[in-house]
Amino acid sequence: MNHSSRIELNPKALRRNLRFIRKQLPEATRYCSVVKGNAYGHGIEEFIPIAEQAGVDYFAVYNSHEAYRVFLAADNEPDIMVMGYIDNADLDWAIEHGIEFFVFEPDRLSVAAEKARQSGKKARIHLEIETGMNRTGFDLPQLEAVVPLLLEFENSLEIMGICTHFAGAESIGNYVRIQQQKEVYEQACNLLQENNIKPHYRHVNCSAGMIRYPEMNLDLVRVGILQYGFWPSMETFIEYSQPLENKDNPLKRLITWKTQVMSTKEVMKGEYIGYGTTYLAQKRMMIAIAPVGYAHGYSRILSNQGRVLVQGRRCPVVGIVNMNAIAIDITNCKNVQKGEEVMLIGRQGTHTLSVASFGELSNQLNYELLTRLPMDIPRYVIN
Ligand SMILES: *Cc1c(COP(=O)(O)O)cnc(C)c1O
């Protein structure tokens, strides 16, 4: 059975983005590809093989279920890091398969060490430091308190990393806060060093941090949004390109999301379109109905705001986004037929719709719209 829309992925775009990212990094800095949120909606099962073919050998996810999906989808036994939730019941599997995970609580540390001792394999852990985001992580006194545990369980623990996460590197407004985070992070690194504990990787930067705080790229970066061809915020791109002569966007979107016209109709001046009275036709109009709605990840925020491409033209979404459908103003198109392509994210003719052109409503919109693309929309890799 056919779905009402499809997603296509372009591996060439990924290779290009990875080349761009690599150029920003010191030779010795390792690259970790962040694939949480179903690879930002691209699909873990589809994305992992093309990333491996592009040379990626390290992936980061948020929880153990995602780690398991990466583990199954991968061909080349990449390193896998869980940055967030892992149930104690999943620790045995993680340790057995060398899956790395963040540790941010003494309880997790001692359970991991104990399970590692039983299994005869080392638990590969990253010590997450609370530096000011107030999400997860050991603050300095807590870190000091667990140093004896780290030393005691030396033979059961492989300390892969010491890490933290900046609270909003994509916005200059957070600059001072991030400088404070850097200081706390450095104190945490010093504390370990004084105790002769040597993690393999010091890592703090995500996409925005990598561009904006390159001095903090350290031993490893955890990059998500950039590799998919999106900037973390417009501001990050402006800051990156500001000193450059060539202002072209060096990134290329991997994802294309498209559907087709399901039905067309004429609407008379003075009639309302869709639920309620949010859209009043100011003139005689032609509209097309496309079979995609909020159930498919086309956010209700885009009611009367979204844009799609039909016949290479930018056409507004009119009225409220329905659960399974949207109405599109095609008055300026020529004789649109049922079955004609409707581009939701991607290019048609000379026009391109990035997720961001859905509206400058929020920095986080790219992230949210991408990760909300449902798992069951079919994904195709187009070579
Ligand atoms: C999501 C996430 C990243 C990647 O963020 P991007 O902005 O997509 O590069 C890095 N580190 C942590 C801890 C994250 O949660």
Side-chain angles (χ1 to χ4, degrees):
M1 292 296 168
N2 280 329
H3 272 263
S4 64
S5 69
R6 62 187 269 138
I7 288 170
E8 296 173 357
L9 304 180
N10 175 0
K12 265 201 219 102
L14 176 62
R15 291 198 289 273
R16 178 191 173 120
N17 299 338
L18 291 174
R19 275 198 302 276
F20 168 76
I21 292 167
R22 198 66 254 178
K23 262 195 278 174
Q24 317 304 314
L25 297 175
E27 189 108 27
T29 299
R30 199 164 170 206
Y31 182 74
C32 179
S33 160
V34 178
V35 295
K36 65 188 180 190
N38 197 25
Y40 292 48
H42 292 63
I44 283 182
E45 285 69 21
E46 292 76 15
F47 181 79
I48 297 298
I50 63 176
E52 284 195 302
Q53 280 157 27
V56 176
D57 60 2
Y58 204 169
F59 294 100
V61 293
Y62 198 73
N63 60 46
S64 41
H65 184 254
E66 290 173 332
Y68 185 61
R69 286 174 57 202
V70 172
F71 178 78
L72 293 181
D75 289 324
N76 305 334
E77 298 185 19
D79 291 324
I80 301 173
M81 169 203 290
V82 179
M83 304 186 294
Y85 186 75
I86 182 165
D87 199 272
N88 279 351
D90 294 336
L91 279 177
D92 291 315
W93 172 80
I95 292 166
E96 179 62 33
H97 292 91
I99 308 293
E100 304 165 20
F101 50 92
F102 280 23
V103 169
F104 40 80
E105 284 174 338
D107 160 59
R108 170 86 65 96
L109 187 64
S110 41
V111 174
E114 179 53 30
K115 287 187 184 276
R117 198 185 53 74
Q118 284 164 11
S119 80
K121 290 204 168 155
K122 285 190 172 184
R124 291 152 67 89
I125 63 167
H126 294 257
L127 297 167
E128 188 186 9
I129 309 302
E130 175 56 70
T131 56
M133 174 142 173
N134 288 317
R135 189 164 70 177
T136 44
F138 293 112
D139 60 25
L140 291 175
Q142 285 171 331
L143 184 67
E144 196 157 13
V146 295
V147 161
L149 274 179
L150 293 171
L151 295 170
E152 180 187 342
F153 293 114
E154 207 171 21
N155 296 326
S156 310
L157 300 173
E158 179 153 8
I159 303 178
M160 298 303 298
I162 175 166
C163 57
T164 195
H165 188 55
F166 290 144
E170 74 286 347
S171 171
I172 191 69
N174 301 323
Y175 181 83
V176 172
R177 186 169 174 201
I178 287 172
Q179 296 309 309
Q180 288 162 352
Q181 287 192 269
K182 276 161 66 169
E183 273 173 37
V184 177
Y185 178 73
E186 269 151 35
Q187 288 169 24
C189 291
N190 291 341
L191 182 69
L192 288 195
Q193 200 168 21
E194 284 155 17
N195 287 281
N196 213 16
I197 297 169
K198 299 194 178 80
H200 294 302
Y201 304 116
R202 292 164 305 143
H203 56 105
V204 298
N205 270 347
C206 58
S207 294
M210 189 195 103
I211 299 291
R212 187 157 248 167
Y213 304 102
E215 75 284 3
M216 295 305 284
N217 284 338
L218 308 180
D219 305 315
L220 175 80
V221 290
R222 311 180 302 260
V223 174
I225 197 89
L226 275 180
Q227 63 181 350
Y228 303 103
F230 297 94
W231 290 88
S233 61
M234 188 50 89
E235 195 184 303
T236 315
F237 174 56
I238 292 171
E239 187 172 282
Y240 163 78
S241 60
Q242 204 257 333
L244 305 178
E245 202 141 297
N246 179 355
K247 309 275 191 229
D248 293 344
N249 184 356
L251 299 176
K252 203 166 175 240
R253 212 176 4 82
L254 271 69
I255 200 169
T256 293
W257 182 27
K258 55 184 161 189
T259 180
Q260 65 284 314
V261 173
M262 183 168 81
S263 170
T264 59
K265 73 179 61 207
E266 195 174 7
V267 176
M268 293 303 158
K269 178 176 174 179
E271 291 184 5
Y272 292 110
I273 296 175
Y275 286 122
T277 54
T278 72
Y279 193 90
L280 176 66
Q282 303 288 326
K283 57 179 192 320
R284 205 166 114 185
M285 291 173 68
M286 282 302 292
I287 62 166
I289 306 298
V292 163
Y294 60 80
H296 310 101
Y298 201 90
S299 174
R300 269 177 61 100
I301 293 177
L302 301 170
S303 299
N304 288 313
Q305 301 248 26
R307 296 281 184 277
V308 303
L309 299 175
V310 179
Q311 295 182 348
R313 280 172 192 275
R314 213 170 264 261
C315 302
V317 170
V318 287
I320 303 282
V321 171
N322 293 190
M323 184 191 290
N324 294 292
I326 49 175
I328 303 157
D329 177 2
I330 51 162
T331 312
N332 295 328
C333 299
K334 287 200 187 66
N335 195 19
V336 172
Q337 299 295 310
K338 222 160 44 171
E340 267 190 62
E341 183 180 86
V342 176
M343 193 58 81
L344 303 164
I345 305 173
R347 170 196 277 274
Q348 222 185 32
T350 54
H351 276 294
T352 300
L353 264 189
S354 69
V355 184
S357 20
F358 280 173
E360 295 295 315
L361 298 167
S362 145
N363 267 347
Q364 296 299 320
L365 202 65
N366 280 348
Y367 290 85
E368 182 170 339
L369 281 162
L370 288 169
T371 52
R372 285 188 155 196
L373 291 171
M375 303 252 298
D376 67 352
I377 298 179
R379 274 113 170 129
Y380 302 92
V381 176
I382 305 290
N383 278 295

